Amino acid sequence: MTQDLAGLEETGPIDYLVVAFPNAHFTGEAFPLLVDLVERGIIRILDLTFIQKAQDGSVSGLELSELADGGVDLTIFEGASSGLLGDDDISEAANALAPGDAAGVFVYENVWAAPFAVALRRAGGQLVASGRIPVQAVIAALDAIEPVA
């Protein structure tokens, strides 16, 4: 087993997010929270890129230095590229955007869950399904529940 593969045995779950920003409107409000999650060792950014879809449908990358709204210097994530996020992934993310929109594409390790994930793997556990329930779906489900009288 190579050293790189040995290191992967100690890795937490890896997730990705594609977050759309309609009309490329970035307030910067979430950026300090992202930096905080990384600094506290809760997550580790493996890949981070921002894209924008022009009115003609073409897609271009945005420089992290262009997203410094909110006073946070995102250039600390410059070069965050593990190779997990490829051109096909960026194209797929762009397909979800309307012209004029932008998106952040994040691949990150859930460092907080690494000890639990390692213990499961050592015990022979294998991930067979994973998913997320969007907050909007939770709200809709709760709204659909009639109050008990």
Side-chain angles (χ1 to χ4, degrees), residues 7-84:
L8 285 176
E9 290 296 321
E10 304 299 317
T11 301
I14 296 174
D15 290 323
Y16 74 92
L17 293 174
V18 177
V19 181
F21 295 90
N23 300 310
H25 180 70
F26 298 98
T27 66
E29 180 179 352
F31 296 148
L33 299 169
L34 176 64
V35 171
D36 181 60
L37 289 170
V38 171
E39 287 178 347
R40 290 191 295 142
I42 295 171
I43 65 170
R44 178 170 59 119
I45 300 294
L46 301 175
D47 291 283
L48 175 63
T49 191
F50 286 85
I51 57 173
Q52 184 168 10
K53 185 180 249 185
Q55 294 299 324
D56 66 3
S58 62
V59 177
S60 61
L62 295 172
E63 295 295 323
L64 291 176
S65 60
E66 298 176 68
L67 307 173
D69 290 348
V72 175
D73 181 12
L74 293 179
T75 59
I76 62 169
F77 297 120
E78 287 284 346
S81 178
S82 67
L84 291 172

Side-chain angles (χ1 to χ4, degrees), residues 44-141:
R44 178 170 59 119
I45 300 294
L46 301 175
D47 291 283
L48 175 63
T49 191
F50 286 85
I51 57 173
Q52 184 168 10
K53 185 180 249 185
Q55 294 299 324
D56 66 3
S58 62
V59 177
S60 61
L62 295 172
E63 295 295 323
L64 291 176
S65 60
E66 298 176 68
L67 307 173
D69 290 348
V72 175
D73 181 12
L74 293 179
T75 59
I76 62 169
F77 297 120
E78 287 284 346
S81 178
S82 67
L84 291 172
L85 187 62
D87 291 339
D88 290 346
D89 301 310
I90 299 299
S91 294
E92 188 174 334
N95 287 336
L97 299 178
D101 289 354
V105 184
F106 305 78
V107 176
Y108 61 95
E109 175 192 359
N110 289 286
V111 177
W112 62 270
F116 178 63
V118 168
L120 289 174
R121 286 191 291 267
R122 287 186 181 147
Q126 297 179 5
L127 181 64
V128 294
S130 180
R132 287 247 156 62
I133 301 172
V135 171
Q136 297 87 338
V138 173
I139 292 169

